Amino acid sequence: YILKLILRDIRKEYNGACILHGLSYTFESGKVYGISGGSGSGKTTLLRCIAREYDYTGTDTVIEAGKSFFKTDVFEYALLDKEIVMPRMITPRQYIKQCIKEHKGSIFGCSLEEYTELFGLPADKLDVVIKRFTGEELQIIQMIAVSIIKPAVVLMDEIIGYFVIPQLFFEALSESIVI
């Protein structure tokens, strides 16, 4: 079945200024969506509303799975942005193995070293403590983890400008809604 993320009449205000004006849209799994607009147009605000990091008014966002509807807090989502949240005192090898174990994930029959190199993270960095990584390297580790976890909804905010996202990332998320 196709998952659908349904937004209905989403409204968000900051200090009396309306940022989102009754936005309604349906996103489907298996597709990659882009949101464009100038600085301050509400792109990040929309993603944070979907992720439930910001309160908003209007009808609730829901996920449709077949003939069933669920509030979005029932489904797993990932918000990839500049504010990377992950443990800093372990290595990428430990972090990725934990993601595989906890989420019964897979890495397409590759070795861990081969898989991470497909994303641009060299095998010789797998045993370096995460706190020593650059912002771009942290985003790569985050993308690897998301490709293993395969959440229902993946929200990407301002990360594409840093590096080329490998096709493997989108293949791994073929059943997810990617915005």
Side-chain angles (χ1 to χ4, degrees), residues 14-170:
Y14 283 120
N15 300 325
C18 191
I19 306 299
L20 299 176
H21 308 269
L23 180 77
S24 295
Y25 198 83
T26 299
F27 300 95
E28 294 182 355
S29 60
K31 298 179 181 178
V32 177
Y33 295 88
I35 299 173
S36 63
S39 179
S41 64
K43 300 177 300 293
T44 296
T45 300
L46 172 62
L47 295 178
R48 292 193 181 279
C49 286
I50 294 171
R52 298 202 176 275
E53 291 188 7
Y54 290 169
D55 291 329
Y56 57 88
T57 59
T59 308
D60 210 8
T61 57
V62 295
I63 297 274
E64 176 185 327
K67 295 183 179 184
S68 301
F69 290 87
F70 304 91
K71 287 192 169 208
T72 53
D73 55 0
V74 173
F75 277 80
E76 202 168 47
Y77 72 89
L79 175 60
L80 304 174
D81 66 6
K82 295 178 286 191
E83 297 174 25
I84 298 169
V85 178
M86 71 175 64
R88 301 294 177 133
M89 298 306 292
I90 64 173
T91 68
R93 182 183 308 277
Q94 293 168 316
Y95 182 61
I96 294 165
K97 282 185 174 183
Q98 190 64 33
C99 289
I100 293 169
K101 180 181 173 186
E102 285 185 19
H103 297 276
K104 298 176 179 62
S106 68
I107 52 176
F108 294 100
C110 301
S111 71
L112 184 64
E113 292 79 8
E114 291 168 329
Y115 193 71
T116 58
E117 286 199 19
L118 290 170
F119 279 85
L121 184 67
D124 65 346
K125 291 213 160 200
L126 286 175
D127 296 309
V128 175
V129 177
I130 289 174
K131 75 175 188 170
R132 300 190 186 278
F133 283 77
T134 66
E136 181 177 313
E137 291 168 327
L138 291 171
Q139 286 187 332
I140 292 171
I141 296 167
Q142 188 179 45
M143 289 180 62
I144 292 167
V146 167
S147 75
I148 292 166
I149 294 167
K150 298 175 181 59
V153 179
V154 179
L155 307 167
M156 302 171 67
D157 187 21
E158 297 185 32
I159 67 164
I160 294 175
Y162 297 115
F163 54 90
V164 175
I165 299 173
Q167 184 61 33
L168 181 60
F169 178 75
F170 296 109

